[in-house]
Amino acid sequence: MRHVDFSPLYRSTVGFDRLFSMLDGIGQPEQAQAYPPYNIERTGENAYRITMAVAGFDESELSIESRANVLTVKAEKADENKESEGEFLYRGIAKRAFERRFQLADHVEVQNASLKNGLLHIDLLRNIPEAMKPRRIAIVSDIADAPKQIEAQVTPAQVN
């Protein structure tokens, strides 16, 4: 039961609405979904990989969609022919449909996805636009370009 009131911050900030709604969502209990298991790893300075264990699914049964900073992975098992199956004494391989969502930071794009040995690999890359990257500003001094002059008062005694 943790709730923070962000309304005073709404009055003095512009463009942080999404941030505040994400912070509000953190405090609310979400359905603890444990299927399918997944890993998130950093593979480079701006590269990431999500690996999901999707045993029993093939490429045609999986769909990956990226929209508005949310990556959604869905799977629906195609109807199998019951006649070809034998009688299961124990079924431990889950073939249930699932939908898993990942919040992506700004400028994170999905590069590619591959399915190998029951693992779905989704490679992500953070592309920061040139306008947002830090840049070095050269300092130019106008005084350095002008010739230096020494000014002094000359007295009549110094002239002789």
Side-chain angles (χ1 to χ4, degrees):
M1 179 155 171
R2 190 181 79 180
H3 183 71
V4 179
D5 184 20
F6 291 112
S7 58
L9 296 175
Y10 284 116
R11 292 189 299 253
S12 61
T13 59
V14 176
F16 290 95
D17 302 343
R18 194 171 134 256
L19 173 69
F20 296 139
S21 64
M22 284 175 46
L23 289 172
D24 257 345
I26 290 173
Q28 298 175 3
E30 193 174 315
Q31 298 122 353
Q33 185 182 12
Y35 180 78
Y38 64 93
N39 294 333
I40 301 175
E41 59 184 306
R42 185 179 204 158
T43 58
E45 185 176 338
N46 289 320
Y48 303 90
R49 173 177 269 189
I50 298 173
T51 303
M52 300 178 71
V54 291
F57 292 97
D58 63 6
E59 293 92 351
S60 64
E61 299 166 333
L62 295 168
S63 72
I64 302 170
E65 181 179 297
S66 177
R67 182 187 312 169
N69 293 350
V70 176
L71 174 67
T72 305
V73 180
K74 294 181 187 178
E76 291 187 34
K77 194 66 179 165
D79 292 332
E80 294 181 359
N81 190 359
K82 295 288 184 180
E83 298 169 3
S84 64
E85 289 184 12
E87 180 182 347
F88 282 98
L89 300 177
Y90 173 76
R91 181 174 277 197
I93 299 174
K95 292 186 179 181
R96 63 182 181 261
F98 68 86
E99 180 175 332
R100 171 77 70 173
R101 295 177 190 262
F102 299 93
Q103 288 288 330
L104 300 179
D106 291 336
H107 312 295
V108 173
E109 301 169 356
V110 177
Q111 291 298 300
N112 58 35
S114 62
L115 182 65
K116 184 177 180 185
N117 297 331
L119 296 175
L120 176 64
H121 301 286
I122 304 169
D123 293 319
L124 307 167
L125 182 66
R126 181 173 50 198
N127 286 325
I128 301 173
E130 283 295 322
M132 296 186 74
K133 289 183 180 177
R135 55 190 169 116
R136 182 171 285 279
I137 309 296
I139 300 172
V140 179
S141 175
D142 292 336
I143 298 170
D145 297 338
K148 295 184 180 179
Q149 296 179 350
I150 300 175
E151 296 181 22
Q153 291 279 10
V154 179
T155 61
Q158 293 175 336
V159 175
N160 291 338

